């Protein structure tokens, strides 16, 4: 899995998906730029989310709020006082870690040990293997499972009580060592606020201290009444937006999984007080269905209920994805009660209520939120799509099996050779298709090498224009995954691409 992750990271760079920010100045840690193919994949993911979460739903509308917001918003939302991570330093390596992440990794290591033991036994015993019985009875597995359970319990209690000494004691007693120095020479655990500060105004004395938003959600809350009134929405209804968020992450590793500047796609669903649990369940299921519709494999997803609820929530869970480094959070679903609207009402002195004509009363709505990181979704797609294959002739090919509706380039138009009028004919095909689809024209190198390059980019179809095309208008259409080629008339290409590349099949299924 380590190798897979390394390969995904280097492939992303080599094929124009993701670059380190400011690379020629030795880079900026945990900040990334998206290249020619990366930006297309990101746009496609955002478009699919927007289509299904906003345009397909009569009860949800979208907004695009500013990144700069009045600083009191962050006091009201609780981010100034409570948006902290517990950090710990290793005195020898001088490296900084999140205390909770060190412990979570230890818990995951027990899980991995158990999984490995089960895999080994399954190979040994073959068809007669009963994994449930094995897990209950194998002494080694039982010991690890008990250790994991006890650690989990202690960790949850320490988090619940914001017990920083308790977290440190766990790290010491579990003998967790710094991966860089290998020592267990740890500092105390301290709280660290994740918001980036900046200033608004040209004269130092008059400037206003601002924060870069750490979530897009607050832009939705403070616009609640503007949107409800202008779009004439009635509860229950939702407001959605996509946009950048910023967090000064302590541990920013794992490529684009944890970044300091990233993009969120959030939706706040406003409901009657008392109905929030019903809606919470509704959105859990709806969002899981959405993720599965991407075709990355149902077994790669699971729910994870939160042990420690954020200061605003009365229920919360994550949809986790099996990244190359294990199951990790992809999306959060939170029942945020009336916390945010009530706080903004209190701090702004403006009423943020809804008059419910059916109940004939005013109330502050409750909120169920769905919040997914676009960059994490991007990483999920790339990790699931990356393949190395050995072909029948013994040669190797690397390909990205990105589902066609998400692929950055839907088809490459290739003249078989660069003469005899084939480039002109291929350019004609390219121009016709590029009105509707993202397509590429390529006439460099031998056609076999061009196929390989398109495989590596993840282009699902290659259209080759040859001498026969000049005579009867037919072209070959090559499938990335099967490498099979069919011959069809140039006039059939648009219908073919629409059928295979349009989001409509997915949208109808969810
Ligand atoms: N408004 C709620 C909220 O922000 P969150 O669980 O902190 O909740 C939601 O974040 C999602 O944003 C996460 O599930 C993750 O996909 C993404 N995300 C959070 N921090 C991130 C980071 N540092 N880098 C990339 N994505 C991040």
């Amino acid at each position: 899995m380590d190798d897979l992750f390394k390969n995904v990271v280097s492939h992303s760079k080599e094929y124009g998906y993701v670059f380190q920010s400011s690379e020629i100045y030795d880079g900026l840690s945990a900040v990334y730029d998206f290249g020619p193919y990366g930006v297309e994949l990101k746009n496609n993911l955002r478009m699919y989310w927007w289509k299904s979460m906003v345009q397909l739903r009569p009860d949800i509308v979208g907004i695009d709020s500013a990144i700069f917001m009045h600083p009191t918003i962050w006091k009201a939302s609780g981010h100034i006082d409570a948006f902290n991570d517990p950090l710990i330093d290793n005195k020898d390596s001088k490296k900084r870690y999140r205390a909770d992440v060190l412990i979570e990794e230890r818990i995951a290591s027990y899980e991995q040990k158990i999984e490995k033991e089960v895999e080994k036994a399954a190979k040994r015993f073959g068809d007669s293997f009963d994994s449930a019985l094995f897990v209950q009875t194998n002494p080694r597995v039982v010991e690890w499972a008990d250790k994991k359970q006890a650690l989990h319990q202690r960790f949850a209690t320490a988090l619940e009580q914001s017990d920083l000494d308790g977290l440190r004691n766990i790290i010491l007693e579990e003998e967790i060592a710094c991966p860089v120095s290998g020592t267990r020479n740890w500092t105390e655990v301290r709280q660290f606020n994740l918001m980036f500060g900046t200033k608004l105004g040209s004269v130092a004395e008059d400037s206003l201290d601002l924060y870069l938003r750490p979530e897009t959600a607050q832009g939705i809350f403070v616009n609640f009444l503007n949107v409800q009134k202008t779009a004439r929405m009635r509860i229950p209804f939702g407001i959605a937006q996509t946009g950048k968020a910023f967090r000064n992450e302590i541990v920013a590793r794992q490529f684009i999984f944890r970044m300091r500047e990233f993009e969120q796609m959030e939706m706040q669903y406003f409901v009657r007080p008392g109905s929030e649990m019903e809606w919470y369940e509704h959105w859990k299921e709806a969002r899981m269905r959405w993720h599965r519709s991407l075709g990355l494999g149902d077994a790669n997803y699971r729910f994870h209920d939160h042990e420690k609820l954020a200061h605003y929530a009365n229920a919360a869970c994550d949809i986790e994805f099996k990244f190359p480094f294990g199951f990790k959070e992809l999306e959060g679903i939170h029942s945020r009660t009336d916390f945010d609207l009530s706080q903004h009402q209190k701090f702004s002195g403006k009423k943020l209520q809804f008059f419910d004509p059916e109940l004939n009363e005013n109330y502050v709505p409750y909120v169920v939120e769905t919040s997914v990181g676009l960059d994490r979704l991007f990483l999920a797609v790339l990790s699931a799509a990356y393949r190395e294959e050995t072909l029948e002739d013994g040669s190797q090919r690397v390909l990205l099996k990105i589902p066609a509706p998400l692929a950055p380039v839907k088809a490459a138009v290739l003249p078989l050779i660069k003469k005899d009028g084939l480039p002109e004919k291929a350019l004609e095909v390219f121009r016709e298709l590029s009105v509707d689809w993202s397509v590429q024209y390529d006439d460099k190198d031998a056609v076999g090498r061009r196929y390989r390059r398109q495989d590596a980019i993840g282009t699902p179809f290659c259209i080759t224009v040859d001498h026969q095309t000049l005579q009867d208008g037919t072209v070959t259409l090559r499938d990335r995954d099967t490498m099979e080629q069919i011959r069809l008339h140039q006039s059939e290409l648009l219908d073919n691409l629409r059928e295979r590349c349009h989001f409509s099949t997915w949208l109808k299924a969810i």
Side-chain angles (χ1 to χ4, degrees), residues 215 247 249 257 259 264 266 329-330 336 369 371 373:
E215 61 171 11
R247 296 183 189 177
E249 298 283 358
F257 180 81
M259 298 154 86
Q264 289 187 315
E266 299 202 294
E329 174 184 348
L330 177 61
R336 287 180 83 130
E369 143 184 280
S371 173

Side-chain angles (χ1 to χ4, degrees), residues 76-118:
S77 68
H79 282 83
I80 288 180
D81 297 322
F83 195 54
N84 302 318
D85 274 345
L87 69 84
I88 190 165
D89 294 278
N90 182 271
K91 291 182 195 165
D92 299 317
S93 67
K94 311 276 183 257
K95 291 279 174 203
R96 181 160 287 177
Y97 299 90
R98 264 175 65 176
D100 55 336
V101 170
L102 286 178
I103 301 170
E104 276 169 9
E105 282 173 356
R106 176 52 54 96
I107 294 173
S109 80
Y110 286 129
E111 275 170 15
Q112 281 155 12
K113 278 181 179 166
I114 295 170
E115 272 171 28
K116 270 197 191 139
E117 204 64 24
V118 173

